[in-house]
Amino acid sequence: MSGLNRLSAAILRALLAIAMTALFLMILVIVADVAMRFAINKPLTGAYDGVEILLVISVFYGLPAVIAGRHEIIIDLIDHFVPPGFVEFLRRFSSLLSALILGFMFLSMIDPARQAYLYGDLKLELNLPVWIVWVIALGGMAGGVLASILNLFGGLSGSPAYPADKGASE
Amino acid sequence: MSASIVGLLFIAIMFVLLFLRTPVWLALAICGIAGNTALSNVQVAQFMAGSTTFDMASKYGLSVVPLFVLMGEIATSSRLSSELFSAARVIMSGLRGGLSVATICASGAFGAICGSSVATAATMTRIAMPEMRKAGYADAFSAGSVAAGGTLGILIPPSIILIIYGAIAEQSIPKLFAASMIPGIVLLILYAAIALFVAHRVSGQVPTADQVSFGERLKALLEPWQFYLLFIITIGGIYSGIFSPNEAAGVGTFAAIVISFLSRRLTVENLIRALRTTTITSAVLFMIIIGASMFANFVVQTRLPNLLIETAQAVGLGPLMIMTLIIILYIILGCFLEGIGMVLITVPVFLPIVTSYGYDPVWFGVLVVIVVELGLITPPVGMNLFIIQAQAPEVSLKALYSGIGPFLIAPVFLILLLFLLPGLALWLPAALY
Amino acid sequence: ASAETLKVSTFLPPKHAFNRMLTQWGEELAEKSGGELTINLFPAGQLGPAPRQYDLAASGAADISVVLHAATPGRFPMTGLAAMPLSYPSEGSNSAVSSKRLTELAPEYLAAEHPGTKILWMAVTPPLKINLADKKPATLDDLKGLRIRYAGKVFQQMIESLGASPMPVPPGEVSEAMAKGVIDGATFPFEAVMAFDLGQVVKYSLEPGMASATFAVVMNENSFNALPEKFQKLIMETTGPARAAAFGAMWDEGEAKGRQYAVDHGIDIVTLDDGQVKKLTEIVTPMIDASINAVDESGKPGRAFYDAYTK
Ligand code: NA
Ligand code: NA
């Protein structure tokens, strides 16, 4: 594995670890809020905002792993009717489409992120500027774009970070 | 070119893309973006792409998606769902096709704590598929049973779809949950009946299992005590008002983790693995939800659903015919849209029409869940079918498509029942509230 | 002349007063333009959730949208002053008066906060009341320690300053949450008490109302400028202060019906006496002043606007 490939694999691994942590924190925030209401009759301020922000992190930082591991759901009925070479061509073609669309989505997110900054949008309970959440999301999206570009050049299939499991299988 | 023609064109393009192995989220996103560009311009498409992506990933109500998926992962790791399955298996033993019925019952039971159809199907695939294969069941039949059973995850409360419907229709979620309870049980019975029918009619599908004594059956029933505990915590918590239906997903998952840890069935290593697979699975689901929302945003603007209803009303179709038309439309949409996207497009258009005919919005919520369920198992885009294939790659999509066939009758029949006996949905909420 | 169709977006449920008013307005446009200017209404957040509505119109993804200012905290500080507690035109706190006043002030004070769009009219809800399940709010002290459902920052701050806990509960769930004691009360106008059928769970409502939510109906500037002059004129003639007053009156009518519903269901409507109102004013004044000062410090005429609105 080349140095660049190793670096990319390390980045993608780190992003996934962030996403996993966010998911776990989400549970803790909900449970803490419920427990505080139940025990001391006082909600945890910012629980609602916290869950939303952690969801953003979990989704956007999980995305690169999905792209790099090719975990996306596809309909492979055509495989039975066409030669393997054509299937391989279709795979590459959708990698290209995927890179283009993810790139388009990334670019499309910059403007609303800028507006959240310019307009001074705030999260309701935490008073946290919303642009920070956008920047976080853009970070994950950039990882997704990176993964889709790597896929165009053969991907990270040999990388130990992504066993060839399919989504939730173990 | 009129908006409706553009709409039909891009629906066709999406079918072609799906057939050409384009990932489902991508096919939806491409058609959403290109469709918006065709209808308006690229700036509008950009606005929609940028904002939808962020808005869906930061929607509080959707936090239940990863939480319920994690609940499924934990239940698998800690053998909770396998206990459920073996209890059902022992109770159903001696029946020809008993394993399939057991799968459906265990799915229904798991659905009573988990609100995600996909998570229910995923959990059950890993447990029930190998058992059925070992027992000599045909793959198509086994997979059909798991896919059908999985849909019970959203009809038997709690339910992600009802949470989203409740938010759009401004209906009480606990009331919706109560309304879907009896139809959920009826659907379970219908699925089981179909499984038994298929098992008896189709030779070579299934061998007969051994008989066990009544005492053994009773003992098996008591085995999954951890599940009963989880059920009491989550459902008890919702109905006593200690936490909201949204929070129930988090509390239930947390309780599953704690119970599994205390009974030494879950290690830190397993928990981390469950978090990893959940993160990936829920990102896969979110990409589809985001793609479906982009596509929904486009379809809404073509006004195809409105046009259809307006035309139907203009030619003088009565309420019952319009309702039939709406259901047919849902079934068609369900063939290529994922549930959340479907609810987002259709409920704002149909709900006012439906209530203006005097139908109860709670009743309609139950109806929507059933058609969404049907969509989860109808080819070509059936999320439950995909999830099973992801868990059990050796089962071909073709076998899945054929195995699910007979089970499709059950939800259709349940829809009929719901029209004939609205009390099926409305009696329990009225009794409780 | 070519026919034009305007894409109108709201996040509000299909049968909400706003959707009814916009449909009515659309019919009026069609009639007066001989069917050449029509609207397509996209309700219930079909084009985007509540916090996204302003962006929809500003970016041109929709031609017109209904903006709830409280949905995007931090974005409309000047407009937000009209949503401060007990802040109403001296002429009256009903929606017809306050909506009209706010619409009249919009060109001078609020347009800058709605860049890229043209404000067609502003709407101010009838004041939201505190509705309680069990505890009679004879004095403000009775609110201390209660858990009260709120929406938006103003109510959050106000409930806290009254010594109660603000709880975010979706409107559809208020009924059960109150019945089970998850919350002790909810801030709602009477119309919502009726719409969500809270007659069984609410025993007391507190008058006067505490504060209102503000809305703007905005149109994308380029969409407006691209229209033929006669359509521009038609839109201007059918919107503005008069439309705001008519819409406000529609809301007031709903509020009156809601109040009658409350009376019919035996809800005890408690009116704070002058001493209590004075105390309430003292409690909320620092909050109002802080908000006005923050706007003034950003170089915008916050005080002038507030005084003009409450005059
Ligand atoms: Na369920
Ligand atoms: Na389907």
Side-chain angles (χ1 to χ4, degrees):
Chain A
M1 209 163 44
S2 74
L4 190 65
N5 209 345
R6 237 191 331 265
L7 178 67
S8 312
I11 293 174
L12 294 176
R13 235 185 346 252
L15 296 182
L16 182 59
I18 294 172
M20 289 161 59
T21 311
L23 175 60
F24 194 67
L25 284 177
M26 200 195 306
I27 298 176
L28 296 185
V29 168
I30 292 169
V31 171
D33 184 30
V34 169
M36 277 176 64
R37 275 185 344 232
F38 188 70
I40 59 171
N41 195 19
K42 215 181 128 44
L44 174 68
T45 309
Y48 199 90
D49 287 349
V51 167
E52 284 187 348
I53 294 167
L54 291 166
L55 184 64
V56 167
I57 299 176
S58 174
V59 170
F60 280 102
Y61 287 76
L63 182 129
V66 173
I67 306 285
R70 295 182 188 276
H71 296 298
E72 300 130 297
I73 287 168
I74 57 157
I75 300 174
D76 59 6
L77 283 180
I78 195 173
D79 297 12
H80 306 284
F81 313 113
V82 298
F86 188 63
V87 172
E88 186 49 35
F89 165 76
L90 289 177
R91 253 168 71 97
R92 291 194 167 256
F93 183 62
S94 52
S95 291
L96 178 66
L97 286 178
S98 173
L100 288 174
I101 292 292
L102 284 169
F104 181 83
M105 285 162 70
F106 178 85
L107 293 176
S108 303
M109 285 169 67
I110 292 175
D111 212 36
R114 259 188 53 233
Q115 273 163 11
Y117 177 77
L118 291 174
Y119 287 132
D121 287 351
L122 297 172
K123 277 282 181 189
L124 179 62
E125 292 180 321
L126 291 177
N127 275 326
L128 180 83
V130 175
W131 66 264
I132 294 178
V133 189
W134 274 96
V135 170
I136 293 172
L138 281 166
M141 205 65 194
V145 176
L146 170 74
S148 70
I149 292 171
L150 288 172
N151 275 353
L152 279 179
F153 298 102
L156 283 172
S157 46
S159 145
Y162 297 100
D165 65 344
K166 288 261 215 162
S169 74
E170 277 297 330
Chain B
M1 209 164 26
S2 83
S4 1
I5 306 278
V6 176
L8 293 173
L9 179 73
F10 276 100
I11 289 172
I13 291 176
M14 196 187 53
F15 270 113
V16 173
L17 285 173
L18 287 175
F19 182 70
L20 294 178
R21 287 180 124 264
T22 314
V24 174
W25 80 267
L26 187 56
L28 289 162
I30 289 172
C31 293
I33 291 169
N36 258 299
T37 308
L39 280 185
S40 312
N41 53 50
V42 75
Q43 285 79 18
V44 168
Q46 249 194 316
F47 172 82
M48 185 274 309
S51 59
T52 303
T53 309
F54 185 82
D55 291 344
M56 293 317 271
S58 58
K59 206 181 180 78
Y60 180 83
L62 292 183
S63 64
V64 294
V65 173
L67 294 173
F68 279 132
V69 173
L70 182 60
M71 186 189 274
E73 290 292 331
I74 301 288
T76 312
S77 285
S78 64
R79 302 193 307 279
L80 192 138
S81 40
S82 84
E83 273 180 2
L84 260 187
F85 178 68
S86 27
R89 190 188 52 192
V90 172
I91 294 162
M92 298 297 158
S93 63
L95 272 177
R96 191 178 159 85
L99 278 186
S100 164
V101 177
T103 302
I104 290 162
C105 290
S107 302
F110 190 66
I113 58 166
C114 181
S116 156
S117 180
V118 163
T120 307
T123 308
M124 286 302 148
T125 312
R126 274 177 274 171
I127 290 141
M129 281 295 286
E131 295 275 339
M132 286 194 271
R133 179 167 290 159
K134 226 186 298 168
Y137 281 49
D139 272 355
F141 179 52
S142 314
S145 316
V146 178
T151 65
L152 295 169
I154 52 166
L155 187 54
I156 293 177
S159 163
I160 294 177
I161 295 292
L162 283 176
I163 289 176
I164 290 166
Y165 177 86
I168 297 179
E170 296 209 315
Q171 295 300 311
S172 133
I173 291 166
K175 221 181 242 181
L176 287 165
F177 280 6
S180 66
M181 181 71 99
I182 294 173
I185 294 168
V186 171
L187 186 63
L188 188 152
I189 295 168
L190 291 173
Y191 279 145
I194 290 172
L196 288 176
F197 180 82
V198 173
H200 278 83
R201 273 305 172 86
V202 187
S203 57
Q205 286 271 35
V206 280
T208 312
D210 300 331
Q211 284 277 11
V212 298
S213 73
F214 178 75
E216 279 174 294
R217 285 177 208 243
L218 194 68
K219 188 165 160 278
L221 190 63
L222 298 176
E223 195 64 27
W225 63 270
Q226 297 184 325
F227 167 78
Y228 300 127
L229 185 59
L230 270 179
F231 177 78
I232 291 168
I233 293 173
T234 50
I235 301 303
I238 293 176
Y239 281 90
S240 63
I242 297 173
F243 42 78
S244 71
N246 266 303
E247 292 166 335
V251 175
T253 307
F254 184 74
I257 294 172
V258 171
I259 292 173
S260 310
F261 259 124
L262 292 181
S263 54
R264 298 179 183 282
R265 289 165 160 214
L266 186 71
T267 60
V268 173
E269 197 182 44
N270 285 341
L271 176 62
I272 290 173
R273 186 182 305 150
L275 283 170
R276 182 183 304 124
T277 50
T278 300
T279 304
I280 292 176
T281 305
S282 70
V284 167
L285 295 175
F286 262 93
M287 289 171 76
I288 292 179
I289 291 170
I290 289 167
S293 310
M294 292 189 195
F295 186 67
N297 180 290
F298 160 65
V299 172
V300 155
Q301 292 180 64
T302 65
R303 297 189 83 75
L304 275 174
N306 309 59
L307 188 72
L308 202 74
I309 297 299
E310 280 158 21
T311 314
Q313 286 173 331
V315 302
L317 291 188
L320 205 59
M321 286 304 289
I322 302 257
M323 288 303 286
T324 313
L325 189 72
I326 287 176
I327 289 163
I328 292 172
L329 203 66
Y330 264 119
I331 293 175
I332 296 170
L333 278 175
C335 289
F336 58 89
L337 260 189
E338 157 282 344
I340 294 173
M342 212 158 110
V343 173
L344 292 176
I345 307 185
T346 56
V347 170
V349 180
F350 295 154
L351 186 64
I353 299 168
V354 169
T355 50
S356 75
Y357 293 146
Y359 292 100
D360 190 298
V362 169
W363 174 89
F364 187 60
V366 176
L367 191 74
V368 167
V369 180
I370 300 170
V371 286
V372 163
E373 269 188 353
L374 192 56
L376 289 170
I377 51 176
T378 47
V381 180
M383 292 301 293
N384 279 18
L385 306 177
F386 295 148
I387 279 301
I388 292 170
Q389 217 212 358
Q391 308 289 317
E394 65 283 357
V395 182
S396 77
L397 204 49
K398 228 164 103 188
L400 269 168
Y401 285 173
S402 74
I404 196 62
F407 290 101
L408 298 177
I409 300 164
V412 175
F413 187 68
L414 181 59
I415 292 170
L416 273 179
L417 272 182
L418 211 55
F419 271 93
L420 296 174
L421 298 166
L424 223 49
L426 294 176
W427 176 76
L428 192 58
L432 282 177
Y433 295 101
Chain C
S2 63
E4 299 276 353
T5 301
L6 301 174
K7 205 194 286 178
V8 182
S9 164
T10 81
F11 65 93
L12 297 151
K15 286 187 170 169
H16 189 273
F18 249 119
N19 291 319
R20 282 185 280 134
M21 179 51 96
L22 286 165
T23 307
Q24 198 180 312
W25 177 59
E27 284 161 4
E28 207 178 310
L29 290 181
E31 192 192 297
K32 290 186 174 163
S33 66
E36 285 187 358
L37 184 61
T38 51
I39 70 161
N40 266 345
L41 181 64
F42 297 93
Q46 282 182 317
L47 299 186
R52 197 58 64 199
Q53 293 294 324
Y54 173 72
D55 300 334
L56 273 165
S59 71
D63 297 309
I64 292 171
S65 72
V66 172
V67 181
L68 167 63
H69 296 98
T72 46
R75 189 177 280 213
F76 302 102
M78 176 87 95
T79 315
L81 298 178
M84 284 288 127
L86 307 179
S87 304
Y88 295 100
S90 57
E91 194 185 324
S93 67
N94 59 8
S95 180
V97 171
S98 52
S99 301
K100 179 162 178 272
R101 172 74 55 86
L102 197 60
T103 308
E104 285 163 351
L105 295 175
E108 186 179 348
Y109 292 103
L110 309 178
E113 249 176 26
H114 300 74
T117 66
K118 194 169 180 58
I119 296 173
L120 300 184
W121 79 86
M122 308 287 294
V124 184
T125 63
L128 276 64
K129 284 88 187 167
I130 292 181
N131 306 283
L132 298 176
D134 297 310
K135 192 154 184 192
K136 182 163 180 164
T139 69
L140 292 172
D141 284 339
D142 294 323
L143 299 171
K144 287 210 168 96
L146 299 187
R147 295 190 283 194
I148 298 176
R149 182 264 172 191
Y150 78 104
K153 216 170 196 77
V154 169
F155 281 95
Q156 184 198 3
Q157 289 177 1
M158 200 175 57
I159 289 166
E160 273 172 358
S161 66
L162 289 168
S165 289
M167 299 272 289
V169 177
E173 275 163 42
V174 166
S175 176
E176 276 101 47
M178 273 178 104
K180 284 173 192 146
V182 178
I183 51 173
D184 306 299
T187 51
F188 267 145
F190 284 124
E191 188 176 23
V193 171
M194 175 171 69
F196 293 107
D197 203 13
L198 303 182
Q200 306 300 326
V201 291
V202 171
K203 284 210 188 68
Y204 303 99
S205 293
L206 191 58
E207 278 190 335
M210 296 283 154
S212 295
T214 62
F215 292 83
V217 181
V218 297
M219 177 162 187
N220 179 277
E221 228 162 32
N222 297 333
S223 309
F224 183 82
N225 293 334
L227 287 176
E229 207 167 317
K230 55 174 181 176
F231 291 167
Q232 293 185 1
K233 214 170 135 244
L234 182 55
I235 289 175
M236 293 315 289
E237 280 166 7
T238 53
T239 57
R243 176 68 60 176
F247 180 64
M250 195 163 154
W251 248 343
D252 290 331
E253 200 182 306
E255 186 65 2
K257 273 188 203 148
R259 196 175 192 283
Q260 188 56 49
Y261 165 95
V263 170
D264 293 345
H265 281 74
I267 295 177
D268 184 355
I269 301 175
V270 179
T271 308
L272 288 179
D273 63 32
D274 289 348
Q276 289 293 311
V277 172
K278 191 160 170 273
K279 195 175 159 201
L280 181 61
T281 313
E282 280 163 14
I283 292 174
V284 298
T285 301
M287 179 182 156
I288 299 172
D289 285 340
S291 301
I292 294 174
N293 290 340
V295 176
D296 281 340
E297 276 159 27
S298 70
K300 290 182 283 182
R303 178 63 67 182
F305 165 67
Y306 185 81
D307 290 345
Y309 179 65
T310 54
K311 195 179 73 183

